[in-house]
Amino acid sequence: MEANDLNFSYFDDKIIDDVNLSIENNSFNAILCPNNGGKTTLMKVLSGVLVSNGKIVIDGITLNKKNLKKCAMNISIILDDIENEFLCDKVIDEIKYPLINLNYKNKNINKVVDRVSDIVNIKSVLDRNITGLKYYEKVKVLIAASIMHNPKILFLDDIFRFLNKKEKKIIFNILNNIKEEYKTTIIFTTSSLEDVIGLSNIYVFNKGKIEMFDSYNNIILKDNELSKMGIEIPLMIDLSRKLQFYELIKYTYYDRDKVVDMLWKSK
């Protein structure tokens, strides 16, 4: 995916200012952005939900009005207000809907449902009503529905913010399985550094511009700059960085027990 010279404004408020992105196929990418920093608008522009100035090319096809239907087959997006993302009452109907809309035969739809529900691990909720699901389960259902037509790119807008650490880990494992199984490019937004730990492709989006692009290990070294942008530094990471400054530990740790252990060994 290539995005060049993207610009977008709401009236006189410029949300996207000459943004350029080059994203490899079958890669995992994070867009790290402060709260209320325009990440939802950026995702809508990249996915074609909103039309902007500039050029977006997906799998060799330029995203414009003429090619919108072709590009739409290669894209899925889940926006941050997930309660408004559902079209059906029951889980099974929600998952089948994309393929019914594409006029797939029932025989083929059932095969895809079986495969996808296994990858996303939602077979136990297929017959349930969506309103009775937990937030975490709703996220999984939306992910399942979004990959039914095997898109090239999956956009996820800040869907991790109400998940606990255990749930996030499960969702990330599911997304990695989707990436490997379907060769899908994953692009997600977040305002939390904890959500991008270990990733190689992180874009920091602030005040309409891409201000950094690097791996997590390099971006965390710029924690002061991130803090000034309004991106919160997790407590243990902040503590680790300060202890490194005083040469009490050598590395940045994310786990409290590891920090305590290293301090104990350094005595």
Side-chain angles (χ1 to χ4, degrees):
M1 176 182 180
E2 297 286 337
N4 298 309
D5 304 321
L6 298 185
N7 290 275
F8 188 87
S9 298
Y10 285 119
F11 301 103
D12 294 329
D13 188 9
K14 196 158 195 178
I15 309 299
I16 300 174
D17 187 6
D18 289 328
V19 164
N20 294 279
L21 296 170
S22 181
I23 295 175
E24 293 184 7
N25 291 338
N26 191 30
S27 60
F28 213 126
N29 307 268
I31 297 175
L32 183 63
C33 176
N35 283 320
N36 302 313
K39 54 183 175 288
T40 296
T41 301
L42 179 60
M43 292 293 267
K44 287 181 177 180
V45 166
L46 291 174
S47 61
V49 175
L50 292 176
V51 178
S52 71
N53 294 329
K55 184 178 181 181
I56 299 173
V57 179
I58 297 173
D59 199 33
I61 302 172
T62 300
L63 180 56
N64 54 31
K65 287 184 179 180
K66 180 182 176 182
N67 298 324
L68 192 58
K69 189 172 285 189
K70 283 184 182 179
C71 288
M73 289 298 297
N74 291 327
I75 296 170
S76 271
I77 181 170
I78 302 175
L79 295 173
D80 60 339
D81 186 6
I82 71 163
E83 298 297 340
N84 289 322
E85 291 286 280
F86 294 100
L87 300 171
C88 305
D89 294 326
K90 296 195 71 172
V91 171
I92 188 66
D93 296 330
E94 184 72 28
I95 294 172
K96 286 183 175 182
Y97 182 83
L99 297 190
I100 291 174
N101 198 40
L102 292 170
N103 296 317
Y104 274 56
K105 293 180 179 179
N106 283 333
K107 180 181 178 181
N108 294 330
I109 290 175
N110 291 332
K111 284 183 180 179
V112 180
V113 167
D114 188 61
R115 184 185 183 197
V116 167
S117 60
D118 188 49
I119 291 172
V120 185
N121 191 22
I122 56 167
K123 285 188 173 180
S124 62
V125 300
L126 286 178
D127 294 323
R128 290 179 59 185
N129 287 326
I130 290 169
T131 54
L133 301 180
K134 298 176 182 177
Y135 180 88
Y136 158 66
E137 293 171 323
K138 290 178 181 179
V139 169
K140 292 207 295 181
V141 171
L142 287 174
I143 289 173
S146 71
I147 64 170
M148 286 291 288
H149 65 290
N150 193 12
K152 304 256 183 212
I153 302 178
L154 176 57
F155 294 95
L156 305 165
D157 181 33
D158 208 13
I159 66 168
F160 304 102
R161 57 180 171 161
F162 297 124
L163 300 177
N164 60 39
K165 286 186 179 181
K166 181 180 178 181
E167 291 167 344
K168 285 181 182 181
K169 185 176 180 180
I170 292 171
I171 295 296
F172 274 114
N173 285 338
I174 287 171
L175 293 174
N176 272 310
N177 289 339
I178 290 169
K179 174 181 168 293
E180 296 304 315
E181 182 80 12
Y182 292 102
K183 308 304 177 187
T184 307
T185 301
I186 310 288
I187 304 172
F188 74 94
T189 63
T190 182
S191 58
S192 173
L193 266 172
E194 289 185 338
D195 293 344
V196 302
I197 290 173
L199 290 186
S200 299
N201 302 321
I202 303 170
Y203 297 85
V204 178
F205 180 63
N206 182 51
K207 295 182 178 178
K209 293 183 176 292
I210 300 295
E211 303 219 355
M212 302 178 197
F213 171 66
D214 215 322
S215 66
Y216 177 81
N217 289 338
N218 290 328
I219 279 178
I220 193 59
L221 299 177
K222 301 176 182 178
D223 52 332
N224 287 332
E225 293 177 50
L226 296 173
S227 291
K228 289 177 183 177
M229 292 178 195
I231 295 172
E232 185 177 349
I233 309 300
L235 176 62
M236 292 315 302
I237 295 175
D238 186 40
L239 178 60
S240 288
R241 299 284 294 129
K242 288 174 180 175
L243 291 173
Q244 281 178 275
F245 178 80
Y246 290 107
E247 298 183 350
L248 293 173
I249 60 176
K250 292 183 179 180
Y251 307 105
T252 299
Y253 295 96
Y254 320 118
D255 183 86
R256 180 185 61 183
D257 293 336
K258 286 186 179 180
V259 173
V260 172
D261 186 51
M262 291 308 299
L263 287 173
W264 181 259
K265 289 179 180 178
S266 67
K267 287 186 176 182

